[in-house]
């Protein structure tokens, strides 16, 4: 079974540019999460999809961030325009359910550097 | 609001010695607690979790963790460290009610020397 995949693995962009991150969850997982880790700090929740619907987007930092999950399969996270403080590692996770017995499986992350 | 504290940025231990990575939490009600590990250039890998029941939880790669409700702690332990255990370890919590998102600590780097 393939795990959670993320693309690209690294992205270096200049302030003001746009970047789109992609996450492919484990096949059949309705729940998809985005998290972010800024250098040396906690991994922080961004949002949670159940199929194509946003269940919880309370962690999205501002309206420069737009997440989509059309068709309930893969998800994209767009940052437009990017700012310096957006730099960090963006993790995607998926699970087949939301109770604690369902493990969240994480992808390798996308390292975003904004110059 | 729930939170997790990992008081040590780094833990150094010699191979063969026991290791402990500390974690304390704050959450309303009974907690669900998790440990994840991140090896270089890899994603987060699940190690173990506490949901209910026995306070001592056993997980992958010989790791275990002890849930202590009175001290609100969930320290990760291993009786004999391996060099290959060197990695970044994250403790996480979620509450009984509300959404299923995880709240993480800032991580502890474990370095096991030969």
């Amino acid at each position: 079974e393939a795990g959670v995949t993320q693309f690209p693995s690294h992205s270096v962009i200049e302030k003001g540019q746009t970047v789109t991150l992609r996450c492919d969850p484990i096949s059949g997982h309705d729940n998809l999460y985005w998290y972010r880790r800024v250098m040396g700090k906690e991994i922080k929740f961004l949002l949670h999809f159940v199929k194509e619907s946003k269940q919880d987007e309370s962690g999205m930092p501002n309206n420069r961030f737009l997440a989509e999950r059309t068709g309930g399969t893969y998800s994209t996270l767009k940052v437009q325009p990017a700012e310096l403080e957006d730099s960090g590692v963006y993790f995607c996770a998926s699970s087949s359910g939301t109770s604690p017995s369902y493990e969240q499986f994480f992808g390798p992350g996308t390292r975003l550097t904004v110059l | 609001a729930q939170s997790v504290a990992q008081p040590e940025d780094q833990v150094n231990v010699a191979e063969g010695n026991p290791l402990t990575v500390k974690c304390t939490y704050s959450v309303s009600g009974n907690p669900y607690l998790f440990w994840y590990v991140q090896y270089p250039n890899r994603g987060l890998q699940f190690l173990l979790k506490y949901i209910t029941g026995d306070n001592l939880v056993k997980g992958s790669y010989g790791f275990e963790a002890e849930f202590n409700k009175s001290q609100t702690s969930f320290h990760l332990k291993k009786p004999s460290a391996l060099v290959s255990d060197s990695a970044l370890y994250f403790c996480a919590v979620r509450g009984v009610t509300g959404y299923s998102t995880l709240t993480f600590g800032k991580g502890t780097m474990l370095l096991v020397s030969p």
Side-chain angles (χ1 to χ4, degrees), chain B residues 64-105:
Chain B
E64 58 189 28
E66 186 167 11
F67 170 62
N68 187 316
K69 188 173 184 177
S70 62
Q71 296 185 6
T72 61
S73 67
F74 190 56
H75 300 331
L76 182 70
K77 300 181 180 183
K78 188 173 182 180
S80 178
L82 299 173
V83 172
S84 57
D85 292 331
S86 298
L88 187 57
Y89 290 80
F90 291 94
C91 181
V93 67
R94 58 167 284 190
V96 174
T97 58
Y99 297 122
S100 58
T101 56
L102 297 170
T103 297
F104 286 88

Side-chain angles (χ1 to χ4, degrees), chain A residues 33 37 45 98 100-101 103, chain B residues 32 46 49 94 100-101 106:
Chain A
Y33 307 82
R37 185 180 191 229
F45 165 75
T98 57
S101 59
E103 176 188 341
Chain B
Y32 300 131
F46 170 80
K49 66 183 176 187
R94 58 167 284 190
S100 58
T101 56
K106 62 180 173 62

